[in-house]
Amino acid sequence: MNTNNVDNYTHSIEVITKADKAYKALTSQIPLWWTEMFEGSSANVDDVFTIRFGSSIYKTMRVKELLPDAKVIWYVEDSLIALPELKNQTEWIGTTIVWEIEQKEEITRIKVIHIGLNPEVECYEICTGGWVQFVNSLKLFLETGKGSPYKA
C-alpha cells in the first residue's frame, strides 16, 4: 500500500489533544464528529461499520489495522453516493482510509490519507469538501468536546 502517492487525497490537522484521545475518537466515537447515523463497531480489527448521510449516501468499512495512539486503517467494502450529478455513485468501494496520529508535546498531528480518492475520481470535489468539513469537526470535538457531525 503506497500512502506516499501524491494523487491520493491527504489532509492534516494539528490538534491540542493527546494521541490516545485522537485514537479513541477514530475507533469508538465516530458518531460524535462524523455522522450520528452510525451502525456497527469500529473498535477492533475486522469490525465492520456503516456511516450514513441521509438516505442516499452511505459507506460500509472494515477496520483493517489498529496501532494504538498511532494509526487506524479502514477498507471501504460498500458505498453509495446517490447524488444526481454523479454518474459513478460507488467510487469509494475498494478505497482505503488511513489515519496517522503523531503526538508532539501538547499538539497531536492527525493525517488522513484516502487511498483511491484522487482528482481522476468523479466525486473528488464533493468528497474532499466532505473530508475538510468532518476533519474540522474531529478537531472541534477533540478540542472542545463537541463536534459538528451530520445529523439525521
Side-chain angles (χ1 to χ4, degrees), residues 64-113:
K64 294 303 278 183
E65 187 178 331
L66 295 173
L67 291 174
D69 309 341
K71 187 180 276 190
V72 173
I73 300 179
W74 301 326
Y75 177 78
V76 182
E77 294 191 337
D78 194 13
S79 173
L80 180 68
I81 305 170
L83 298 174
E85 61 269 31
L86 295 179
K87 289 184 194 75
N88 183 350
Q89 300 181 346
T90 59
E91 290 179 301
W92 277 46
I93 296 173
T95 65
T96 300
I97 299 161
V98 179
W99 296 92
E100 296 176 347
I101 304 164
E102 182 183 7
Q103 186 170 334
K104 291 192 174 168
E105 294 165 16
E106 74 277 1
I107 300 284
T108 295
R109 186 165 181 263
I110 301 170
K111 180 178 183 182
V112 61
I113 306 152

Side-chain angles (χ1 to χ4, degrees), residues 15-138:
V15 185
I16 301 166
T17 193
K18 299 284 184 213
D20 61 334
K21 287 182 88 175
Y23 180 79
K24 185 176 180 185
L26 294 168
T27 55
S28 61
Q29 297 175 321
I30 293 169
L32 300 177
W33 61 270
W34 202 353
T35 174
E36 293 180 350
M37 300 176 77
F38 176 93
E39 303 156 16
S41 177
S42 54
N44 300 293
V45 171
D46 274 337
D47 280 357
V48 175
F49 65 96
T50 299
I51 55 168
R52 296 181 187 278
F53 302 87
S55 59
S56 57
I57 300 174
Y58 70 86
K59 292 137 179 59
T60 299
M61 297 182 243
R62 180 176 299 275
V63 179
K64 294 303 278 183
E65 187 178 331
L66 295 173
L67 291 174
D69 309 341
K71 187 180 276 190
V72 173
I73 300 179
W74 301 326
Y75 177 78
V76 182
E77 294 191 337
D78 194 13
S79 173
L80 180 68
I81 305 170
L83 298 174
E85 61 269 31
L86 295 179
K87 289 184 194 75
N88 183 350
Q89 300 181 346
T90 59
E91 290 179 301
W92 277 46
I93 296 173
T95 65
T96 300
I97 299 161
V98 179
W99 296 92
E100 296 176 347
I101 304 164
E102 182 183 7
Q103 186 170 334
K104 291 192 174 168
E105 294 165 16
E106 74 277 1
I107 300 284
T108 295
R109 186 165 181 263
I110 301 170
K111 180 178 183 182
V112 61
I113 306 152
H114 191 159
I115 300 165
L117 180 62
N118 60 59
E120 310 292 303
V121 173
E122 189 185 7
C123 84
Y124 189 75
E125 293 295 318
I126 295 166
C127 293
T128 56
W131 273 126
V132 169
Q133 177 183 347
F134 294 113
V135 169
N136 286 339
S137 173
L138 172 62

